[in-house]
Amino acid sequence: KYTVSDYVNVIHDHCPDWMELHVLEIDRARAWMALDRVERTVSVSRRKRLRTAIDAVYNWGVLSGRIKGLQGLPTEGFKSLHKEEEK
């Protein structure tokens, strides 16, 4: 079982530039580019782990009241361009 801290570490490993951004600056375009980059340069499983981490941190932030004004998760709607490789 992972903690929020574990998920933040995953995000930090793959998206270190995000640590300097306000949470609402991380939009779908930025998240989708990061997911696609990780999938192309590392692996499908790491991309899935990153998406899980992003979703978990955002869900925790919303539920805890730390994130307000969010119009959906930044990973929402992402579709892999390499779907056949995931099977």
Side-chain angles (χ1 to χ4, degrees):
K1 183 146 176 131
Y2 292 101
T3 66
V4 171
S5 180
D6 295 328
Y7 289 128
V8 169
N9 287 334
V10 170
I11 295 169
H12 184 270
D13 288 346
H14 296 291
C15 308
D17 56 311
W18 288 17
M19 299 302 132
E20 303 301 319
L21 300 173
H22 186 275
V23 69
L24 296 178
E25 291 180 282
I26 302 169
D27 59 3
R28 284 194 177 120
R30 190 180 301 265
W32 290 14
M33 285 189 308
L35 292 170
D36 185 61
R37 179 178 37 77
V38 168
E39 183 171 12
R40 283 184 292 106
T41 61
V42 185
S43 69
V44 170
S45 63
R46 294 292 175 157
R47 188 259 302 155
K48 288 179 180 181
R49 183 182 296 176
L50 176 59
R51 183 176 185 165
T52 298
I54 294 168
D55 290 350
V57 168
Y58 271 81
N59 283 326
W60 173 81
V62 169
L63 290 172
S64 67
R66 288 174 168 82
I67 299 176
K68 294 177 174 48
L70 187 65
Q71 301 295 317
L73 298 175
T75 59
E76 193 173 302
F78 176 81
K79 300 284 188 230
S80 173
L81 298 175
H82 310 283
K83 204 65 166 174
E84 63 278 352
E85 295 177 21
E86 290 188 38
K87 295 180 181 175

